[in-house]
Structures are given as C-alpha cells and as structure tokens.
Amino acid sequence: QLQLVESGGGLVQPGGSLRLSCAASANTFSLYVMGWYRQAPGKQRELVAQITSGGSTNYADSVKGRFTISRDNAKNTVYLQMNSLKPDDTAVYYCSAGVGRFPTSPLYWGQGTQVTVSS
C-alpha cells in the first residue's frame, strides 16, 4: 500500500506561481509512474502531468509550457511547479501513483490540495 500526502496548495493571483509537493510513504516510490490530476467544481477529474522513474514526462496540452513535473526518488517526493497560473487552473489537485505506459492509470491517490487562482 502506498500513501500519498500533498502539500503546497493555496490562493494565488493570476500570473502567479505555486509549487505542489507529494510525499510517498513507501520506499517502492521509484517503481511508480507519479502524476498530478485536478478536478474543478462540476467537472471530471483530468490528467495534468505524469513522470516516470527515469524522468520521462507527459503533460496535458492546457498546461504545457507553464507547469513542470519533477521527482526526487531519494526523498520519495514528486513536485508540480505551476507558473503563469490562470483562473481556469482553479481545482483540487491530486497526486497519483501507477504503473504502465502513458497515460498511466493511477493505482493510488492522495487526498488532494486546493489551488485557487483569483484576484
């Protein structure tokens, strides 16, 4: 069982930046494809970005060039650097872990962290 705990959400103005972190409980972290999803009110949960243990990445078109996913296997942590934030980025952001090729279906989820982009 892998437990995931997100942090770093909050309120930010349009054009601002936030960095989300997700800490995993198990030392098997490096075996998983890690990812970030988001869910806005009234909408389905959608993929934001994923990253393999080796650093290959997959991004949603809506965040390419603005968001960067990274991971530190020694710290069992995955990050999401979000720049040039827009009101449409407002959502609950969930960390995920899975196996297989992109787009990787999650096996585990975090509890979510709220990101609100508003002036």
Side-chain angles (χ1 to χ4, degrees):
Q1 188 77 5
L2 188 68
Q3 293 184 330
L4 304 173
V5 179
E6 302 99 334
S7 60
L11 173 64
V12 63
Q13 292 186 342
S17 298
L18 277 177
R19 189 194 197 201
L20 305 183
S21 299
C22 172
S25 61
N27 289 330
T28 53
F29 173 83
S30 64
L31 299 178
Y32 292 96
V33 175
M34 300 301 298
W36 291 94
Y37 285 71
R38 66 186 181 186
Q39 188 167 18
K43 295 187 177 181
Q44 290 188 333
R45 192 173 297 190
E46 63 177 3
L47 172 66
V48 176
Q50 293 179 317
I51 185 169
T52 68
S53 180
S56 296
T57 56
N58 178 39
Y59 291 95
D61 288 343
S62 59
V63 306
K64 283 180 180 177
R66 300 189 299 121
F67 291 10
T68 302
I69 189 170
S70 61
R71 65 191 292 166
D72 186 336
N73 290 334
K75 295 183 178 180
N76 292 351
T77 302
V78 61
Y79 306 96
L80 186 68
Q81 178 66 44
M82 304 185 293
N83 299 329
S84 302
L85 282 161
K86 306 174 182 179
D88 284 350
D89 295 318
T90 296
V92 178
Y93 283 71
Y94 296 91
C95 180
S96 70
V99 295
R101 297 182 177 180
F102 295 146
T104 308
S105 296
L107 297 173
Y108 302 103
W109 294 96
Q111 82 286 354
T113 186
Q114 177 70 47
V115 172
T116 302
V117 184
S118 175
S119 55

